[in-house]
Amino acid sequence: MKIQYAEMTNHLGSSAVRDILKVTQGKDIISLAGGLPGEELFPLEAVRDAYNRALSGSASSLQYGLTEGYSPLREAVAARLTRQGIPVEAGDMLLTTGSQQAIDLFCKVMLDPGDKVLVEAPTYLAALQVLNSYRADIITVDSDEFGMLPEHLEEQLMLHRPKVLYTVPTFNNPSGGSWSKERRERTVELCRRYNVLILEDNPYGEIAFDDAPGAYPPSMAAIDRSSGEDPCVVYTGTFSKIVAPALRTGWIIGPSGLIKVIARAKQAADLHSSAIDQRALHELLLHFDIDAHIRLISREYHSRMKLLAGELSGERWQDASFQEPRGGMFLWLKLPAGTDTARLLPFAVEQGVAFVPGEVFYAAKPLKNAMRLNFTHTPPELLPVAVRRLEAALESYGRTLAGAVDTLV
Amino acid sequence: MKIQYAEMTNHLGSSAVRDILKVTQGKDIISLAGGLPGEELFPLEAVRDAYNRALSGSASSLQYGLTEGYSPLREAVAARLTRQGIPVEAGDMLLTTGSQQAIDLFCKVMLDPGDKVLVEAPTYLAALQVLNSYRADIITVDSDEFGMLPEHLEEQLMLHRPKVLYTVPTFNNPSGGSWSKERRERTVELCRRYNVLILEDNPYGEIAFDDAPGAYPPSMAAIDRSSGEDPCVVYTGTFSKIVAPALRTGWIIGPSGLIKVIARAKQAADLHSSAIDQRALHELLLHFDIDAHIRLISREYHSRMKLLAGELSGERWQDASFQEPRGGMFLWLKLPAGTDTARLLPFAVEQGVAFVPGEVFYAAKPLKNAMRLNFTHTPPELLPVAVRRLEAALESYGRTLAGAVDTLV
């Protein structure tokens, strides 16, 4: 059999994330690569109780459910979002298999080959994979530490007439950065003017290190929905980071018409996501103080980030730079220009430490000398060990480079 | 905001299934419409125990998992399939969100707009929806009660050079029919000759009413894999009908290369399906006699089918015809030519009974006078009531038709 695949298979991209995950499965490697939460913080007992309760009612809990998801959970999530400044009805929400599926279904119903999509750089790798799989034309908007530059954004809007802008404006994956309130407002305003839907992907927003009120700007969805205009922000979130990934439950909210179209696409894609996970999450929200749990993990992740940042501030790291993230799961480390982190990776793995080379997070013109470091998965006592191993890797990488130069001479 | 959707949204088709499901939610309606298993037969207690065990180990059970699915469950399913005459390694299998996702991902990586796909008529409605969403050119092959007609199949293979043949050859949804061994062999042989992949969709195969050994022909996958040639049959199955749908766990097996490509598409689509459902199913297979359970539900479904068939054999049904299915969940009832079951449906709903009009199961040239009756979801004591209501609906439909003719005269 000679299988002739669809054209899309030529655009599925390299499977960098998978290769990375495979590397992290090596037993002696400390992985700062995966975007994984800390396992020892999972509320295992509360989750087990929640499944027990979810399965203690009638057998109809095991029947087929609605494509849109289990209604009581949709209502509970809608109420949480409303409390977070994003007023939404359960009817304008769809539950998905993680927020990854929300991104995929949104792109599926929005994008034909060649349609233009604006992204920031760097941005979420698996979103780039989805955009590529639908053969979108991905266009980068220049950013600084406060978000996309409005002048360049407007230029790209006028020039390319994109359909969609995709962003992770809060505790970005991979950069850890967050957009300012002004840039959020300006972006919403410009996108509305140019009839562009914004997909605000917010898996990390609740992992916030500063719990003073008003410490962070509102989400773009909140800004959008307080404007009194038709919503132009589609918003996704997930329980993966605040409860656990294995439950595979995310959500997408947006204009009613769009949510209905996505529901039809989801019906063809899988009928519905796990109804048992959704019932268990609903029970969890009823019987477990999820906000206290989020404060607990945020405090712990904050202290791990501080520990990693401290280790990266020693004398041997004088030529490197980073901004301390104010939340989320990642620290974006820049090495001196000329360093190629993709070529550094095998040296790191040999020393027993893994990271993600920065270049994979760019649609074009990748930064070669950055790397993404995850600080949530590794137990704190191993973070200094990981940094020592990185140092050793840099040393042998430098020696090899010097050797190569010698050979050339 | 004026949202410009992707072209695919124009091909998502009518949401007939959803409208049907909505009808069935009416409290006083006996629904023979949905493709639902009987809830009172779900092994709720065993399922609850299985989740308990799945969540009694380490917290790593809540972490992200492999895109391909939880390895111990893949191995257990591979072993079951091997015992069923389909020798397969876990590595050539992917776990999906129900077998619906298996169909969707397979079509996603195989079909470009305009690619030709052969189907039987009638066939599974949601497969037609998927094929339409990828804008496939759907071509019908003529069938009789033994399966596709080999002469017509070869004609269509030569004429259209299709990429894929989709079939539910065992206890078909909606017709309840099953292909003979000869037709299965001939179809595999012809498809291999013309380099066409067969997608054998087998959600119902284990719901078999006759438990004598050798009572049924082997699956097309078994025939394919015993040929010694490269496999040309891709095979999907699911726990939805033999355990419960809410766990949303199906599988797809096929050539290694294809499974790897599907895994990359699934990674972009949702990273992976619920890992907790997969762990629970693995525990269930270890601690619960699933084969005894399948025998139990098959016996019960058989007796419900017999009851329904008996009710449809009375004097008032002399002009109707059907074949008793030898397994599965559906009875395909043909009314006299000239009856339009889509127009009959509102009369039926008014009388408090629902079915699916046969016409929705055709890509072209629908049979107007057939209907699909599900006999697994309705408690047996209500089946006679449902048939009485159908009779009343036929009567008032007939009267209205006669009235319309009078008016014309």
Side-chain angles (χ1 to χ4, degrees):
Chain A
M1 291 294 296
K2 167 95 190 74
I3 303 180
Q4 299 166 277
Y5 294 103
E7 174 61 22
M8 70 85 71
T9 61
N10 297 321
H11 305 267
L12 279 171
S14 80
S15 47
V17 161
R18 307 190 70 193
D19 295 346
I20 291 156
L21 281 174
K22 272 171 194 157
V23 161
T24 66
Q25 282 158 23
K27 291 240 161 55
D28 298 330
I29 291 178
I30 303 175
S31 179
L32 311 179
L36 307 182
E39 286 168 18
E40 61 283 10
L41 298 167
F42 288 148
L44 181 60
E45 212 171 307
V47 167
R48 188 168 53 235
D49 289 350
Y51 277 87
N52 243 314
R53 272 192 299 270
L55 294 167
S56 291
S58 96
S60 64
S61 57
L62 298 184
Q63 191 55 279
Y64 281 108
L66 293 175
T67 299
E68 291 84 352
Y70 181 56
S71 300
L73 182 61
R74 290 163 80 204
E75 276 155 28
V77 173
R80 282 199 98 224
L81 291 177
T82 301
R83 287 196 296 277
Q84 291 168 8
I86 308 172
V88 62
E89 305 281 328
D92 294 340
M93 168 187 296
L94 192 94
L95 299 178
T96 51
T97 305
S99 54
Q100 184 69 31
Q101 191 188 36
I103 299 170
D104 181 62
L105 290 175
F106 173 81
C107 291
K108 191 174 197 173
V109 305
M110 288 300 300
L111 301 175
D112 284 314
D115 278 347
K116 311 264 196 297
V117 177
L118 302 184
V119 301
E120 61 206 313
T123 193
Y124 176 46
L125 170 58
L128 291 177
Q129 287 179 315
V130 173
L131 292 172
N132 280 320
S133 79
Y134 293 108
R135 290 186 270 159
D137 188 359
I138 306 176
I139 292 154
T140 301
V141 180
D142 293 342
S143 310
D144 62 15
E145 59 183 299
F146 304 110
M148 282 183 182
L149 300 174
E151 299 71 29
H152 194 231
L153 171 58
E154 186 156 17
E155 219 176 287
Q156 300 287 53
L157 284 167
M158 283 194 293
L159 190 62
H160 296 290
R161 298 281 157 181
K163 264 189 174 179
V164 166
L165 181 150
Y166 170 81
T167 176
V168 188
T170 308
F171 317 140
N172 179 274
N173 175 1
S175 79
S178 281
W179 292 30
S180 70
K181 181 159 185 260
E182 292 65 32
R183 291 289 174 82
R184 291 167 191 247
E185 288 170 344
R186 194 85 180 94
T187 300
V188 170
E189 191 187 306
L190 282 169
C191 283
R192 182 175 289 117
R193 191 185 312 155
Y194 286 89
N195 200 50
V196 169
L197 280 182
I198 296 173
L199 180 57
E200 181 180 21
D201 185 12
N202 191 19
Y204 313 107
E206 297 197 66
I207 312 288
F209 299 156
D210 187 343
D211 49 15
Y216 299 96
S219 63
M220 290 164 87
I223 291 168
D224 180 41
R225 281 165 186 256
S226 67
S227 69
E229 312 261 350
D230 258 9
C232 74
V233 176
V234 178
Y235 179 91
T236 75
T238 176
F239 285 105
S240 292
K241 277 66 179 181
I242 57 176
V243 177
L247 290 84
R248 308 300 306 119
T249 302
W251 56 83
I252 184 165
I253 65 168
S256 302
L258 174 71
I259 296 300
K260 285 194 178 70
V261 170
I262 293 178
R264 283 163 67 205
K266 182 165 168 62
Q267 194 200 6
D270 63 11
L271 301 181
H272 64 87
S273 298
S274 169
I276 300 184
D277 292 346
Q278 293 174 9
R279 280 175 186 264
L281 279 165
H282 179 241
E283 292 292 339
L284 193 80
L285 290 179
L286 286 177
H287 299 277
F288 174 71
D289 188 345
I290 190 172
D291 294 310
H293 178 70
I294 293 170
R295 283 193 298 276
L296 171 85
I297 60 175
S298 298
R299 267 198 303 273
E300 175 63 23
Y301 290 162
H302 186 192
S303 100
R304 291 185 193 187
M305 184 280 289
K306 280 293 201 187
L307 181 59
L308 178 63
E311 293 293 332
L312 292 171
S313 303
E315 206 186 327
R316 304 176 72 167
W317 292 95
Q318 276 181 347
D319 298 335
S321 68
F322 61 89
Q323 290 255 339
E324 280 192 14
R326 299 182 60 213
M329 298 170 53
F330 304 108
L331 185 146
W332 184 242
L333 180 69
K334 288 186 196 163
L335 297 177
T339 313
D340 183 335
T341 55
R343 297 180 66 182
L344 172 63
L345 183 59
F347 291 90
V349 170
E350 201 181 300
Q351 294 295 334
V353 64
F355 58 82
V356 186
E359 63 176 37
V360 305
F361 302 101
Y362 293 80
K365 290 192 274 176
L367 202 67
K368 294 290 219 175
N369 57 324
M371 64 171 75
R372 188 190 78 176
L373 299 177
N374 167 275
F375 49 78
T376 60
H377 183 244
T378 302
E381 63 276 16
L382 289 180
L383 285 172
V385 185
V387 175
R388 293 299 85 74
R389 291 180 181 183
L390 263 184
E391 288 164 357
L394 273 165
E395 209 158 288
S396 56
Y397 165 81
R399 265 202 313 276
T400 308
L401 230 57
V405 173
D406 285 353
T407 312
L408 284 174
V409 171
Chain B
M1 290 294 295
K2 166 94 190 73
I3 303 180
Q4 298 167 277
Y5 294 103
E7 174 61 21
M8 71 85 70
T9 62
N10 296 321
H11 304 268
L12 279 172
S14 82
S15 46
V17 162
R18 309 191 68 193
D19 295 345
I20 292 157
L21 281 174
K22 272 173 193 157
V23 161
T24 67
Q25 280 158 24
K27 291 240 161 55
D28 298 328
I29 290 178
I30 302 175
S31 180
L32 310 179
L36 308 181
E39 287 168 17
E40 61 283 10
L41 298 167
F42 288 149
L44 182 61
E45 212 171 304
V47 168
R48 187 167 55 236
D49 289 351
Y51 277 88
N52 242 317
R53 273 193 299 270
L55 294 166
S56 291
S58 97
S60 65
S61 57
L62 299 184
Q63 190 56 278
Y64 281 107
L66 294 175
T67 298
E68 291 84 351
Y70 181 56
S71 300
L73 181 61
R74 290 164 79 204
E75 276 156 27
V77 173
R80 281 200 99 222
L81 290 177
T82 302
R83 286 197 296 277
Q84 292 168 7
I86 308 171
V88 62
E89 304 282 328
D92 294 340
M93 169 187 295
L94 192 94
L95 299 178
T96 52
T97 305
S99 53
Q100 184 69 31
Q101 192 187 37
I103 299 170
D104 181 63
L105 291 174
F106 172 81
C107 291
K108 192 174 196 171
V109 305
M110 287 301 300
L111 300 175
D112 284 315
D115 278 348
K116 310 265 195 300
V117 177
L118 301 184
V119 301
E120 61 206 314
T123 193
Y124 176 45
L125 169 58
L128 291 177
Q129 287 179 316
V130 172
L131 292 172
N132 280 319
S133 79
Y134 292 108
R135 290 186 270 160
D137 189 359
I138 306 175
I139 293 154
T140 301
V141 180
D142 294 340
S143 309
D144 62 15
E145 59 183 300
F146 304 109
M148 283 181 182
L149 300 174
E151 300 70 30
H152 194 230
L153 171 59
E154 186 155 17
E155 219 177 287
Q156 299 288 53
L157 285 166
M158 284 193 293
L159 189 63
H160 297 290
R161 297 281 157 181
K163 265 189 172 178
V164 167
L165 181 149
Y166 170 81
T167 176
V168 188
T170 308
F171 317 140
N172 178 274
N173 175 0
S175 78
S178 281
W179 292 30
S180 69
K181 181 160 185 257
E182 292 65 33
R183 292 287 175 81
R184 290 167 192 247
E185 287 170 345
R186 195 86 181 93
T187 299
V188 169
E189 191 187 305
L190 284 169
C191 283
R192 181 174 290 117
R193 191 186 311 156
Y194 287 90
N195 201 51
V196 170
L197 280 182
I198 296 172
L199 180 58
E200 181 181 20
D201 185 12
N202 191 19
Y204 313 108
E206 296 197 67
I207 312 287
F209 299 157
D210 187 343
D211 49 15
Y216 299 95
S219 64
M220 290 164 87
I223 291 167
D224 180 41
R225 281 165 188 256
S226 68
S227 70
E229 313 261 350
D230 258 10
C232 73
V233 175
V234 178
Y235 179 92
T236 74
T238 176
F239 286 106
S240 291
K241 276 66 177 181
I242 56 175
V243 177
L247 290 83
R248 308 301 304 120
T249 302
W251 56 85
I252 184 164
I253 65 169
S256 301
L258 174 72
I259 296 300
K260 285 195 178 71
V261 171
I262 293 178
R264 284 163 66 204
K266 183 165 167 63
Q267 193 198 7
D270 63 11
L271 301 180
H272 63 87
S273 299
S274 169
I276 300 184
D277 292 346
Q278 293 174 10
R279 280 175 186 265
L281 280 165
H282 179 242
E283 291 292 340
L284 193 80
L285 291 179
L286 286 177
H287 298 276
F288 174 71
D289 188 344
I290 190 173
D291 294 310
H293 178 70
I294 293 170
R295 282 193 299 275
L296 172 85
I297 60 175
S298 298
R299 267 198 302 271
E300 175 62 23
Y301 290 162
H302 186 192
S303 100
R304 291 185 193 187
M305 185 280 288
K306 279 294 201 185
L307 181 60
L308 177 64
E311 294 292 333
L312 292 171
S313 304
E315 208 187 324
R316 302 177 73 168
W317 293 94
Q318 277 181 345
D319 298 336
S321 66
F322 61 89
Q323 291 255 337
E324 280 191 14
R326 298 182 61 212
M329 298 171 53
F330 305 108
L331 185 147
W332 183 242
L333 181 69
K334 287 186 197 164
L335 297 178
T339 313
D340 182 336
T341 55
R343 297 180 67 182
L344 173 63
L345 182 58
F347 292 90
V349 170
E350 202 183 299
Q351 295 294 334
V353 64
F355 59 82
V356 186
E359 63 175 38
V360 305
F361 302 101
Y362 293 81
K365 290 191 274 174
L367 201 66
K368 293 289 218 177
N369 58 324
M371 63 171 75
R372 188 190 77 176
L373 299 176
N374 166 274
F375 51 78
T376 58
H377 184 245
T378 302
E381 63 276 17
L382 289 179
L383 285 173
V385 185
V387 174
R388 292 300 85 74
R389 291 181 181 182
L390 263 183
E391 288 164 357
L394 272 165
E395 209 158 288
S396 57
Y397 166 81
R399 267 201 311 276
T400 309
L401 230 57
V405 173
D406 286 352
T407 311
L408 285 175
V409 171

